[in-house]
Amino acid sequence: MAAPILAYENLGVIQGSGWLFRGLDIHVGPRDRLALIGRNGAGKTTLLKLLGGKIDSDEGRRTIVPGTRVIQLEQEPAMTGFATLADYVLAGEDAPQRHEAEAIADQLGIDLTREAAKASGGERRRAAIVRAFAQNPDVLLLDEPTNHLDIGAIEWIEEWLQRFRGAFVVISHDRTFLTKLTKQTLWMDRGNLRRAEIGFGGFDAWTEQVYADEQRNAEKLDAKLKLEEHWLLRGVTGRRKRNQGRLTKLVEMRAERAAMVGPQGAANLTIGSDDARSKVVIDAKHISKAFWRPHHHPRFVAARDAQGPHRHRRRERRGQIDPAQAAHRRVGAR
């Protein structure tokens, strides 16, 4: 593997009152073709801006080989203040050569003399592509490059990127585009960043394997926890050093299991249109809630699953008891 020309180590960004992501490591090699995948809100665009040096991180260190040109194609190019598309394309100290920009514009079919304020979304996107491609980049950071484009323009971009001798990182909802062009994948998943040396065409199979491995690891840990909690319920004394170590290990295992976050899904909630005279107003199945109190008495087993069905009828008055408090009181009464 070639040495990276652009990298970020221990990358962390705060968003609002918490971390958007933290402890990420990313590197881009000189010929990488990277698909950046993740759910909306995972931080993909933020990550591109960090790699491009557009914004600063709260943690981490960015390194780049001297002389490397990193160019970013943003989703919404800022054209306010420019009279024409040509003014936008050729603005700034890092502006491309006019003849190179005009050559690419001709191939993309965009008239750069068009007034920027009257340009359509597709025309603005083409102008942004002209500027980015004509700057002779070593690394291209592409955020939804095919938005607002017709098939002909998309195919032209695909051919250009296939000939491109530098590296690129691309975010796109166009699965065909990603499958044709990418050879590596970065996956932003539950606050982590995973890398695989496969293009987007192998992404689904890879994620299924990751989830299957996680499920097996969780099941193994659940089996260990079950044995240890059974030992704990038999009654132990905290005076023995061996037992103290075992209790500490149990707390660590519980923490490890609690940190395992499964694949993100969606809750399926429906509101029925039952007759108002129906007695049952809530019918819940397969629900669960865990309470974890690591600093409570060691006899207390932290989690209890509440598998359904659970029904709540009209005019019923129910109270919810925290099992942690109840168990603590039982232990204290002995």
Side-chain angles (χ1 to χ4, degrees), residues 190-206:
R190 295 164 286 171
N192 298 315
L193 182 67
R194 308 170 190 266
R195 175 171 172 142
E197 299 305 310
I198 56 172
F200 182 75
F203 176 72
D204 289 338
W206 174 42

Side-chain angles (χ1 to χ4, degrees), residues 179-192:
T179 301
K180 283 183 177 180
L181 295 173
T182 60
K183 296 181 180 179
Q184 299 88 18
T185 302
L186 295 170
W187 179 24
M188 300 191 76
D189 175 44
R190 295 164 286 171
N192 298 315

Side-chain angles (χ1 to χ4, degrees), residues 270-283 311-312 314:
T270 58
I271 299 176
S273 57
D274 256 351
D275 191 317
R277 293 169 294 179
S278 173
K279 292 183 178 180
V280 177
V281 293
I282 298 176
D283 191 357
R311 290 185 174 178
H312 186 85
R314 295 183 186 278

Side-chain angles (χ1 to χ4, degrees), residues 307-319:
Q307 300 299 328
H310 300 278
R311 290 185 174 178
H312 186 85
R313 293 177 171 79
R314 295 183 186 278
R315 303 185 67 81
E316 286 186 340
R317 304 292 187 267
R318 297 191 180 189

